[in-house]
Amino acid sequence: MLYLAFKTLHLIAVVMFLGNITTGIFWKEHADRSRDPRIIAHAMAGIIAADRLFTVPGVLLIVLAGVMAAMMGHLPLLRTGWIFWSLVLFTLSGVAFMGWLVPLQRKMHKLMQAGAESGSPDWDGYHRLSRAWGFWGAVALLLPLAAMVLMVLKPPMRGL
């Protein structure tokens, strides 16, 4: 019973985590189409806040509940291939998120906020940052999606 409780909590956290990333991409693209630096700055502030409220706690809950479910299910974390490789993918996603995506989000927010205040946004700079954000955002989304596929399919794979 405890295994199922942790597994359910793990799945809820995955939905919260992936849902927030996906909706963040949607709202940024939606704001960008407005070409209004105030709207874009507001959307970026919302994405940054949502990451603090949903993405980061989602990561903690995914790891905690996932490890506990594996322990309750007597699944060795590093020797069970689909768990090990999911952890690797999830970790790489976290590196992309913290190393590139978060700093880019802050820079884009500040750039559009300054553009809204001055009345002349640096569109070239914003588009350069936005392209990089799109790349690292795809990495940060696709890696945990691949981990989710491994978790669902549980293919025979080697761990450590």
Side-chain angles (χ1 to χ4, degrees):
M1 185 65 182
L2 205 49
Y3 166 75
L4 291 177
F6 281 119
K7 186 175 178 179
T8 301
L9 191 57
H10 180 68
L11 288 170
I12 290 168
V14 168
V15 169
M16 184 172 75
F17 172 82
L18 290 174
N20 186 59
I21 294 172
T22 304
T23 56
I25 293 167
F26 169 81
W27 283 112
K28 183 202 169 292
E29 293 301 317
H30 187 66
D32 283 354
R33 282 193 298 275
S34 75
R35 301 268 309 151
D36 183 333
R38 292 170 299 145
I39 292 172
I40 296 169
H42 181 72
M44 292 309 302
I47 290 167
I48 292 166
D51 283 341
R52 276 193 300 266
L53 291 170
F54 300 108
T55 303
V56 174
V59 167
L60 298 174
L61 204 50
I62 286 168
V63 173
L64 178 65
V67 167
M68 292 305 295
M71 289 172 57
M72 295 294 130
H74 306 289
L75 298 166
L77 293 172
L78 302 181
R79 289 193 319 270
T80 306
W82 52 271
I83 295 175
F84 172 76
W85 290 108
S86 294
L87 286 169
V88 168
L89 293 170
F90 197 64
T91 300
L92 291 173
S93 172
V95 168
F97 177 76
M98 293 304 295
W100 285 276
L101 207 58
V102 167
L104 286 166
Q105 287 177 172
R106 289 184 182 140
K107 288 177 186 174
M108 289 188 305
H109 175 250
K110 285 181 183 176
L111 193 63
M112 285 296 101
Q113 200 170 33
E117 290 168 5
S118 72
S120 59
D122 176 6
W123 290 113
D124 290 337
Y126 178 76
H127 291 306
R128 187 181 76 256
L129 293 171
S130 188
R131 281 190 298 277
W133 186 87
F135 173 79
W136 290 110
V139 169
L141 174 61
L142 294 175
L143 291 175
L145 278 174
M148 184 187 72
V149 169
L150 291 178
M151 290 284 177
V152 170
L153 298 179
K154 299 174 180 39
M157 307 172 79
R158 292 184 55 131
L160 288 181

